[in-house]
Amino acid sequence: MGRPYTKPALTFDQQLAQLEGRGMRVGDRNLAISALGRISYYRLSAYWHPFKRPDKTFESGATFEEALKLYEFDRRLRLTVLDAIERVEILVRTRVTYTLGHGYGAFAHTKASSFDSTFRHSDWYSELSKEVARAKETFLEHYGATYDGFPDVPIWMASEVMSLGTLSKMFKGMRHPDQSAVTSSWKVHRIVAQSWLHTLSYVRNVCAHHARLWNRELAIKPVLPKHQPGWNTLHNGRVYFVLCILRRLVQSDPDGTGWAQKVVGLLTELNALPRWQQAMGIPTNWNTQVFWK
């Protein structure tokens, strides 16, 4: 049986006093009050949590500025990850659309016969239809006013408005040769590609909600590719593994190298902070690994 929640709302000054009372050092009070006012105590608490002892007091030397620095690092990390996921997502949408459209027609996705026999097409398509009906896109409004059958729309329209999660499930349900055609440039087994898309869908949601990413234990762990250098030593439950996945998947992108350089810059910031490297699953020799050469 729980108990009633009785904690009152605190002013920004009271919030800061509470942190100081628990042992956190504050070097610049104006900076701290400003940060609490634009980010919120509760959101920032995820970044000073690593400095807390079991009794809720802070470790010796814990500072508000260090927690804020960690928050800003995580923010830049999320934006960098979202940048690569966008590239991967658009590529997959394009190739799924092309493969199904040319193989089975404009309405390929509406027919169970276009997919593997084990795919629960009716459940998946029911969810997609809701997404299409909810979407407020001019091209869908035009289609609905001009043609019969809405929300059954051509695959090249449906793929533009389906969520990444729906796209991931769709890819998993495709016939094996079609999956291979979609991901041929990735040079990974189709089972690995399925897993990676599932994980990226989850990570995208984390980033889109501005949630903590840097030290997160992944709820959906990606599969390690077999017989490929570098992967078997990595922790597939941490965000560094996701960075390595994205490096592989954007390798053929025109700015894939530029994206990798941004990641290298972020990771280099942690070279003198082994505790934070471990929290992200970053190996000590990360900068000599094949992913970043």
Side-chain angles (χ1 to χ4, degrees), residues 106-111 114-115 121 124-125 128 153-155 158 170:
F107 295 91
H109 60 299
T110 68
K111 300 175 288 188
S114 304
F115 295 87
H121 177 268
W124 172 82
Y125 192 66
L128 172 61
V153 297
I155 179 64
M170 182 187 192

Side-chain angles (χ1 to χ4, degrees), residues 115-128:
F115 295 87
D116 187 82
S117 60
T118 62
F119 185 45
R120 297 175 62 178
H121 177 268
S122 60
D123 293 342
W124 172 82
Y125 192 66
S126 175
E127 291 303 311
L128 172 61

Side-chain angles (χ1 to χ4, degrees), residues 14-290:
Q14 289 171 329
Q15 292 169 11
L16 197 57
Q18 179 170 271
L19 292 172
E20 290 177 309
R22 293 175 179 172
M24 177 178 280
R25 296 201 329 239
V26 179
D28 186 332
R29 294 187 64 82
N30 290 334
L31 173 70
I33 293 293
S34 174
L36 290 169
R38 62 187 168 82
I39 302 170
S40 89
Y41 181 102
Y42 198 74
R43 182 176 294 276
L44 280 172
S45 67
Y47 300 93
W48 59 61
H49 181 78
F51 302 101
K52 292 177 81 171
R53 298 188 180 106
D55 64 358
K56 295 186 179 181
T57 62
F58 289 100
E59 300 172 352
S60 175
T63 68
F64 188 95
E65 288 75 16
E66 191 66 22
L68 185 60
K69 184 178 178 181
L70 202 51
Y71 167 82
E72 294 294 348
F73 172 85
D74 196 35
R75 177 178 172 276
R76 288 181 286 127
L77 175 67
R78 287 195 305 270
L79 291 173
T80 302
V81 167
L82 273 177
D83 178 16
I85 290 179
E86 177 189 353
R87 300 167 195 258
V88 172
E89 182 178 345
I90 291 174
L91 174 68
V92 174
R93 289 182 192 277
T94 300
R95 292 189 174 176
V96 164
T97 297
Y98 192 90
T99 301
L100 290 181
H102 283 270
Y104 310 99
F107 295 91
H109 60 299
T110 68
K111 300 175 288 188
S113 59
S114 304
F115 295 87
D116 187 82
S117 60
T118 62
F119 185 45
R120 297 175 62 178
H121 177 268
S122 60
D123 293 342
W124 172 82
Y125 192 66
S126 175
E127 291 303 311
L128 172 61
S129 296
K130 293 175 185 176
E131 291 181 349
V132 173
R134 286 195 302 264
K136 304 298 182 184
E137 295 287 351
T138 301
F139 63 85
L140 291 177
E141 293 175 0
H142 172 75
Y143 185 92
T146 308
Y147 301 100
D148 295 330
F150 187 85
D152 290 351
V153 297
I155 179 64
W156 42 86
M157 295 184 185
S159 66
E160 286 298 309
V161 298
M162 70 175 68
S163 67
L164 180 55
T166 300
L167 179 68
S168 171
K169 292 175 184 175
M170 182 187 192
F171 175 79
K172 187 175 181 179
M174 291 172 67
R175 296 177 179 179
H176 300 174
D178 294 335
Q179 290 178 332
S180 297
V182 169
T183 61
S184 58
S185 66
W186 294 354
K187 296 181 175 59
V188 296
H189 191 274
R190 59 180 182 79
I191 298 296
V192 174
Q194 288 177 22
S195 169
W196 286 5
L197 283 176
H198 191 193
T199 296
L200 292 182
S201 174
Y202 157 72
V203 171
R204 184 189 184 281
N205 287 338
V206 170
C207 295
H209 288 91
H210 321 299
R212 173 183 50 81
L213 180 65
W214 76 281
N215 66 342
R216 182 176 293 270
E217 179 76 28
L218 300 180
I220 300 173
K221 293 180 172 57
V223 169
L224 281 76
K226 296 179 180 178
H227 314 302
Q228 294 192 23
W231 294 96
N232 62 348
T233 61
L234 302 182
H235 187 335
N236 71 332
R238 293 292 179 177
V239 71
Y240 178 75
F241 196 95
V242 174
L243 294 173
C244 294
I245 287 174
L246 290 170
R247 174 57 179 144
R248 167 64 71 85
L249 301 189
V250 302
Q251 208 151 15
S252 59
D253 186 274
D255 193 37
T257 300
W259 181 85
Q261 289 172 345
K262 291 179 184 177
V263 174
V264 168
L266 281 169
L267 298 183
T268 300
E269 294 180 26
L270 302 183
N271 279 349
L273 300 167
R275 183 178 174 185
W276 305 147
Q277 285 182 323
Q278 292 167 14
M280 286 183 64
I282 304 172
T284 54
N285 66 333
W286 69 269
N287 54 358
T288 65
Q289 291 188 313
V290 65

